[in-house]
Amino acid sequence: MPTPNKAADVAELEDKFRSSNAVVLTEYRGLTVAQLKTLRRSLGENAQYAVVKNTLTKIAANNAGITSLDDQFTGPTGAAFITGDPVESAKGLRDFAKENPNLIIKGGVLDGKALSADEIKKLADLESREVLLSKLAGAFKGKQSQTASLLQALPSKFVRTAEALRVKLAEQGGAE
């Protein structure tokens, strides 16, 4: 029979799974408390990293409808619960793992879809949402400028053509 503390822990974890856009599971064996503190800072403001108990976390994930992570709850497990931009947090995890090889990214879930460790690394290689949106806005602005130039060029070209035709007709009329 579960104790009230364990039931409360499961409920809290279940709430974190439901409120997160993404969850990344890691193995943190060999990391010091100071390194874990650095890891938490590197994830950004929109992510929480917690050392979790495998059995309780597996129950909470299943209660939240996430069964794709079941095989990853082995060994010392830490979970990054991401509520904001998952790319920023994935970059933080990737960069921290480069400096600290004891951190191993096991896998995760993004918007209900299971992600492997390689897919999380690919996610980290993406540019942030803000950068992608600014590039899109720049592309739209560029197309608007091209359209404006084209629309401006048409009347101008028409006037030059009409003027050339008038001059040619005036020369032909004066030559007779």
Side-chain angles (χ1 to χ4, degrees):
M1 177 157 217
T3 65
N5 288 343
K6 287 184 181 180
D9 290 345
V10 168
E12 182 182 347
L13 287 169
E14 184 180 341
D15 185 48
K16 285 183 179 182
F17 273 107
R18 290 185 193 278
S19 64
S20 298
N21 299 342
V23 178
V24 178
L25 298 180
T26 64
E27 183 175 321
Y28 64 91
R29 186 185 325 258
L31 293 177
T32 66
V33 173
Q35 289 171 322
L36 287 173
K37 188 175 183 180
T38 303
L39 171 61
R40 285 183 176 99
R41 273 192 253 117
S42 70
L43 290 178
E45 297 176 4
N46 298 322
Q48 291 180 326
Y49 185 82
V51 172
V52 294
K53 293 187 178 197
N54 290 328
T55 306
L56 299 180
T57 308
K58 183 177 178 180
I59 292 168
N62 288 334
N63 289 349
I66 301 169
T67 57
S68 56
L69 300 176
D70 285 355
D71 60 334
Q72 297 178 7
F73 292 112
T74 58
T77 303
F81 296 98
I82 304 164
T83 55
D85 184 13
V87 173
E88 178 187 349
S89 298
K91 285 181 189 219
L93 282 168
R94 179 200 59 197
D95 295 344
F96 186 85
K98 282 182 184 176
E99 295 173 13
N100 301 283
N102 287 335
L103 182 77
I104 299 168
I105 298 173
K106 295 179 179 182
V109 64
L110 173 65
D111 294 329
K113 181 188 175 287
L115 297 176
S116 68
D118 289 335
E119 289 173 320
I120 292 170
K121 290 174 185 169
K122 287 179 186 175
L123 181 66
D125 291 337
L126 290 176
E127 293 174 332
S128 71
R129 183 176 189 273
E130 290 78 21
V131 171
L132 292 174
L133 287 174
S134 65
K135 283 185 176 183
L136 182 64
F140 283 142
K141 183 178 179 186
K143 292 297 178 189
Q144 288 175 344
S145 297
Q146 288 175 347
T147 303
S149 297
L150 177 68
L151 293 176
Q152 235 176 359
L154 289 175
S156 174
K157 188 173 183 180
F158 175 75
V159 169
R160 286 192 307 271
T161 304
E163 180 61 23
L165 183 61
R166 186 189 65 76
V167 169
K168 184 175 180 181
L169 289 176
E171 289 175 356
Q172 286 178 353
E176 289 178 28

